Amino acid sequence: QMRLVESGGGLVQPGGSLRLSCATSGTSLDYYAIAWFRQAPGKEREGVACLSHDGSTTYYADFVKGRFTTSRDNAKSQGYLQMNSLKPEDTAVYYCATDLFGTCTTVTGDQMNFWGQGTQVLVSS
């Protein structure tokens, strides 16, 4: 069983940056892809980014390409989502999730094995 805890959310002005962290425990992160999802009020959950279990493949949704970057530090059992040039439409609860031996060729909630509880990101002036 793996436990995931997100942190780093908060209030930021449009154009600003935030770095989300996903701390994992209970099971080695080495064999898991780390994915990020978000859900805005009244909207469906959507995949944002993913980094494959071996670090060879990344996925970014079109609406974050060029602005968000995902990374991982297996030694620290953590994943990260660097979010730059934030827009009001990026406001959502952001979740990290892990997928055993995941390759990030597709990123859907059904694939994920474990989820964090989410962290709120609010982009507003």
Side-chain angles (χ1 to χ4, degrees):
Q1 195 77 3
M2 180 182 281
R3 182 169 181 250
L4 287 72
V5 179
E6 300 95 336
S7 61
L11 172 64
V12 62
Q13 292 187 341
S17 298
L18 283 175
R19 188 193 194 208
L20 304 184
S21 297
C22 176
T24 71
S25 61
T27 302
S28 173
L29 183 59
D30 292 4
Y31 304 110
Y32 288 82
I34 302 175
W36 293 88
F37 293 80
R38 71 185 188 186
Q39 187 165 22
K43 294 188 177 181
E44 293 188 355
R45 182 179 60 199
E46 55 188 0
V48 175
C50 184
L51 180 58
S52 62
H53 72 282
D54 60 0
S56 66
T57 304
T58 54
Y59 161 87
Y60 294 99
D62 287 343
F63 50 80
V64 303
K65 281 182 180 177
R67 300 189 297 125
F68 291 12
T69 303
T70 186
S71 60
R72 63 192 292 156
D73 185 336
N74 286 354
K76 295 183 178 180
S77 298
Q78 295 218 14
Y80 307 98
L81 185 67
Q82 177 68 42
M83 306 187 296
N84 299 328
S85 302
L86 283 162
K87 305 174 182 179
E89 51 263 45
D90 293 319
T91 294
V93 177
Y94 283 72
Y95 301 88
C96 64
T98 55
D99 177 17
L100 183 61
F101 297 122
T103 59
C104 300
T105 50
T106 58
V107 182
T108 64
D110 292 346
Q111 295 171 259
M112 302 299 141
N113 300 110
F114 301 105
W115 291 84
Q117 84 290 347
T119 185
Q120 176 72 54
V121 172
L122 177 60
V123 184
S124 176
S125 54

